Amino acid sequence: MPKTFSRLALCFIIYSSFIFDTNAATHSTSSYLEIDKDKVVSSAFGIVTSFNYNQIPIIVPSKEIPLISGQSYGWIIELKTNKPNIKWREEFTLPVKPSTWGDEPTIGSRIITNNGKTSLIEQETYGTNGIIFHSWSVAKGDPKGIYAIRVFSENKLIGSFEFNVK
């Protein structure tokens, strides 16, 4: 899978462009989970077009990601919190095992599941005023198809993004 790079600072987003559905559900192996509406202010997923001078990403909302090597994509979530740090976990599942998951993250930890189709990343962010973000880049050999990302904080689902890489 692609190189991973995380920009976990205050993120610039066009709030009117958020893709967010507080009623969204996603399938778990044992049950359906609903997004914790009490924790989430807003969220978005899409193509990362650039980073400004403060390394703040600019996201264009999209559920389709071009299968072009180097194309960046990611998610951003704003949480209701006064905590100075936020622990979060990302579960990223591909339709088939990729040829590589890329370099190890420089922040946090990553585990690849036994079937090779899912990456589990855990990180903790500091001083982000409730905003968390993570992005990936398409790498040569990445599979086409439907990808899914679920994001958790304090063991509660806070984001669910399904998208097509083609």
Side-chain angles (χ1 to χ4, degrees), residues 32-57:
Y32 283 92
L33 300 174
E34 290 187 18
I35 292 177
D36 187 347
K37 300 175 206 172
D38 295 331
K39 290 188 71 139
V40 179
V41 175
S42 57
S43 68
F45 173 86
I47 295 171
V48 176
T49 59
S50 62
F51 293 88
N52 75 7
Y53 65 94
N54 285 328
Q55 295 300 305
I56 298 171

Side-chain angles (χ1 to χ4, degrees), residues 29-91:
T29 54
S30 61
S31 65
Y32 283 92
L33 300 174
E34 290 187 18
I35 292 177
D36 187 347
K37 300 175 206 172
D38 295 331
K39 290 188 71 139
V40 179
V41 175
S42 57
S43 68
F45 173 86
I47 295 171
V48 176
T49 59
S50 62
F51 293 88
N52 75 7
Y53 65 94
N54 285 328
Q55 295 300 305
I56 298 171
I58 298 171
I59 293 178
V60 174
S62 179
K63 290 189 176 189
E64 292 188 356
I65 305 301
L67 187 59
I68 299 171
S69 186
Q71 174 64 65
S72 297
Y73 57 93
W75 54 263
I76 187 166
I77 300 172
E78 181 181 6
L79 300 173
K80 295 177 193 173
T81 185
N82 293 322
K83 294 180 180 179
N85 59 330
I86 300 168
K87 291 182 181 181
W88 57 268
R89 182 180 80 246
E90 174 193 80
E91 295 177 359

